[in-house]
Amino acid sequence: METLKGRDLLSLADLSADELHELLQLAAQMKAGKVNWRCNKVLGLLFYKASTRTRVSFSVAMYQLGGQVIDLNPNVTQVSRGEPLADTARVLDRYLDILAVRTFDQKDLQLFADCAKIPVINALSDTEHPCQVLADLLTVQESYGSVKGVTLAYLGDGNNMANSLILGCAMMGMNVRVATPPEYQPDLAIVEQARAIAGDRTEVMLTDDPIAAAKGACVLYTDVWASMGQEDSASSRIPIFQPYQVNQELLSIADKHAIVLHCLPAHRGEEITDEVIEGSQSMVWDQAENRMHAQKALLASLLGADD
């Protein structure tokens, strides 16, 4: 994966389809213990949003590679007192080997990438969540042996997860169906980008019909109906999104071997039922574990191995 060394990952579209495929293969090999890659480097985590899986999985992955992690809590750094992001980026560039940023505006990620020479990773923005989709694709690959030709149905809010899943599926030769209420569609520019990538090889479908999306699908995927920063609208969204709940009835019309994914945290009884997330077709906990393996492969590829 020498082609990725020193690069940024702000969007899945920063990768070629071949690079994404190779990254997933490396993650699978690392998970199986077949590759022991060492890079004694320092990772900075600058997180403006709460995090469990992203924070812990990045930290454990870096430690397992032999590196170190610095948690750059914005509340106790000068960015909380108004230091320009460009100044912070230039300084961190001189201390760190790689930086993962979890923030609201995608433009802030681009600013960090423009001002720092070290690799910058999108650890979540309001536009995309590429690191989560690496783990999602790895989980599908484990479940079916290959992702090519698999149909994934995403149901709920057309948020950052929907955007990144659309890109990731199109790049990997998967069919993707996104079912949302009409006023909560994913980013249409990203949809068009994904359709250009998919061409006539795979399907990129938007619909407001959850039944049409789920019918015969190999993967049912959902996320919370109100993302971080949208808590004030959470209660008003419930009746709008109720038809998109992933429950046993919806699962029954998917492929009989379908798996269920959720990026977590889950609001049980809202976007997904207890019966489904705890059921035999749920791969949610394997999916969560795979965050660590996918990000270990990403860190190793962007940093390169020690000589």
Side-chain angles (χ1 to χ4, degrees):
M1 292 296 289
E2 282 296 315
T3 60
L4 292 186
K5 187 175 180 180
R7 285 167 50 183
D8 303 314
L9 182 71
L10 308 186
S11 164
L12 278 178
D14 291 338
L15 304 173
S16 69
D18 286 343
E19 288 168 340
L20 179 53
H21 176 76
E22 289 182 31
L23 197 54
L24 294 176
Q25 294 305 111
L26 177 59
Q29 291 171 343
M30 286 182 156
K31 183 176 182 178
K34 296 178 180 179
V35 174
N36 185 23
W37 203 320
R38 305 293 290 176
C39 53
N40 184 24
K41 302 293 196 321
V42 180
L43 163 68
L45 301 179
L46 183 58
F47 284 16
Y48 294 85
K49 289 187 175 187
S51 172
T52 298
R53 280 149 294 277
T54 304
R55 184 186 302 278
V56 177
S57 58
F58 260 118
S59 298
V60 174
M62 196 63 191
Y63 289 138
Q64 289 187 357
L65 288 170
Q68 303 293 320
V69 180
I70 297 178
D71 189 346
L72 301 162
N73 185 337
N75 293 326
V76 295
T77 59
Q78 294 295 347
V79 293
S80 68
R81 299 178 63 242
E83 181 174 56
L85 293 184
D87 293 359
T88 299
R90 292 187 183 100
V91 172
L92 294 179
D93 182 57
R94 308 230 175 176
Y95 297 152
L96 305 172
D97 297 296
I98 191 165
L99 176 66
V101 180
R102 185 177 178 92
T103 189
F104 294 88
D105 197 331
Q106 187 81 10
K107 292 179 181 177
D108 291 344
L109 284 162
Q110 189 61 58
L111 180 60
F112 271 99
D114 291 342
C115 294
K117 298 175 184 176
I118 60 173
V120 175
I121 299 172
N122 179 355
L124 178 143
S125 72
D126 286 350
T127 303
E128 280 199 55
H129 196 358
C131 293
Q132 176 66 54
V133 175
L134 294 178
D136 300 340
L137 294 172
L138 179 61
T139 308
V140 175
Q141 181 174 277
E142 290 175 341
S143 299
Y144 289 100
S146 170
V147 299
K148 192 172 183 180
V150 171
T151 297
L152 180 147
Y154 173 90
L155 303 107
D157 186 24
N159 58 15
N160 49 7
M161 277 312 313
N163 292 335
S164 287
L165 282 166
I166 290 167
L167 281 174
C169 290
M171 293 171 68
M172 293 302 293
M174 293 174 61
N175 301 305
V176 58
R177 305 170 186 165
V178 176
T180 69
E183 62 272 33
Y184 294 93
Q185 289 187 333
D187 187 310
L188 295 182
I190 290 177
V191 173
E192 291 308 309
Q193 185 181 16
R195 284 175 171 160
I197 293 168
D200 57 4
R201 294 174 292 108
T202 55
E203 175 187 38
V204 178
M205 182 180 85
L206 297 188
T207 180
D208 61 359
D209 184 351
I211 304 300
K215 189 173 183 180
C218 305
V219 183
L220 293 189
Y221 196 120
T222 191
D223 189 13
V224 295
W225 292 337
S227 299
M228 284 179 282
Q230 299 173 334
E231 289 83 1
D232 289 347
S233 66
S235 60
S236 64
R237 287 175 176 237
I238 291 175
I240 299 171
F241 283 94
Q242 191 62 44
Y244 300 86
Q245 182 187 72
V246 176
N247 51 36
Q248 197 60 45
E249 182 180 359
L250 197 68
L251 184 57
S252 69
I253 67 170
D255 183 88
K256 66 179 181 179
H257 300 299
I259 63 171
V260 175
L261 300 180
H262 190 307
C263 55
L264 300 176
H267 292 173
R268 296 168 184 242
E270 292 184 15
E271 75 274 1
I272 193 167
T273 62
D274 264 318
E275 181 183 19
V276 170
I277 198 170
E278 298 291 354
S280 61
Q281 290 170 267
S282 172
M283 294 292 290
V284 169
W285 317 115
D286 297 85
Q287 175 191 10
E289 178 190 339
N290 282 338
R291 290 295 305 276
M292 180 180 66
H293 304 298
Q295 284 158 195
K296 188 191 295 187
L298 177 64
L299 289 167
S301 299
L302 297 181
L303 288 166
D306 289 343
D307 296 329

